[in-house]
Amino acid sequence: MKVLIVGSGGREHAIAQKVSESKRVDKIYCAPGNAGIAELAECVDIKAMEFDKLVAFAKENAIDLTIIGMDDPLVGGVVDEFEKAGLRVFGPRKNAAIIEGSKAFSKDLMKKYNIPTAAYETFEDADAAVAYLETKAVFPIVLKADGLALGKGVLICNTLEEAKEGVQTIMLDKKFGSAGNKMVIEEFMTGREVSVLAYCDGTHIKTMTSAQDHKRAKDGDQGLNTGGMGTFSPSPFYTKEIDEYCQKEIYEKTMAAMKAEGRDFVGILFCGLMITPKGTKVLEYNARFGDPEAQVVLPRMKNDIIDVMEACIDGTLDQIDLQFEDNAAVCVVLASDGYPVSYEKGYEIKGLENFKDKDGYYAFHAGSAIKDGKVVTNGGRVIGITAKGATLQEARANAYKATEWVNFENKYMRHDIGKAIDEAGVN
Ligand code: AMP
Ligand code: GLY
């Protein structure tokens, strides 16, 4: 088979790695890809939002399967375009990707189908939002821009003043563009966060092993929100009991709800969950693999990813026995110092050869490029160092050891990825 992957981050590198392990695949292309992906795939200079060019490329090169990694093209309807051209593609259609593309849609869906989530109200008018905050709000409170905002459209406000400023930022100043035409105001929840990703075929849903992300830039969950500074899998806080509850009350119900709405969900459903003292609730849905969740979940998957993705497209996921290794993985992101605000790029990345032929160790490129024949930094998040281990502690020790194998001028990382594991008292 010939496979095309759309995207350019660490997530797409992890997908490409898994696809390269499939016995069914002879050739991988990636649009646009990065320097790490280029080791596994032929990178094609087409951007993820250039739908016409992607479709034309897939036709001309007789691509058997296209895998969409990123949220923007999915929400924009790239899958519909591929299907119209008679091409096989993995990902939700536009009418299903809206589960990520509009927070108002996903909150209304959860309310209508009784799926546990934080209490909320939706607003299309800034004055009405402020009036609500002045009369009904309990602080802290959470403001969310309705649309896609690179994971930055969520504001947690401790006071009425902060919340009013938040309304100004989202709805009037339009800091997140048209994503702020609507806004959700929701109850603040406390607890442990966990990401559960699932394969879906429109009718059936099969969850993967759990993971936990670290969104803040600095140790101790301080600093600004980022795209994710590291992950571990599985989450020891996501117990068998919680899983049984979520299977019934969240995953199955979400699949059935989307079907009932005529929006059959085919692809990866990412459930961002909060394990609260009052039960587990949905924080958000995404319509794709998490980044950097994919970097710890996919290396532990035993199945051939092509078999699973094809079963999703064909509606036969119930026939797949989805299996994960009985071990653990940790991913530590090496970033450019200053991320997510401002940082320098273009520095040579040294030591990548140390990962060659090392089983269970991966350097997933997030922001890299090739300049004058050298691999250089090309983004805020540069490389996700993933290592497996028999236990979470071992995986973490291995991952941190491997972070020393790679160097570049302004290398920055968190030193407490997976520290929560110690609190869980597990191994
Ligand atoms: P989201 O993009 O909806 O996942 O929100 C980004 C982050 O904001 C989440 O990962 C949480 O850490 C936080 N967050 C979102 N909604 C809430 C909520 N209702 N209560 C507490 N924290 C939240
Ligand atoms: N790691 C969170 C996300 O991919 O949205």
Side-chain angles (χ1 to χ4, degrees), residues 103 107 117-119 140-145 150-156 185-191 193 195 213 215-216 225 270 272-274 276 282-286 288:
K103 298 212 189 263
K107 295 297 288 189
T117 190
I141 199 152
V142 184
L143 309 189
K144 297 185 172 184
L150 295 169
K152 292 178 187 145
V154 175
L155 305 177
I156 295 172
I185 300 188
E186 90 176 18
E187 170 200 6
F188 177 76
M189 300 189 287
T190 49
E193 280 187 49
S195 305
D213 192 6
K215 290 206 165 99
R216 301 295 199 96
N225 261 321
F270 169 138
L273 307 174
M274 182 79 97
T276 83
V282 177
L283 274 170
E284 64 160 349
Y285 293 114
N286 293 317
R288 41 139 185 112

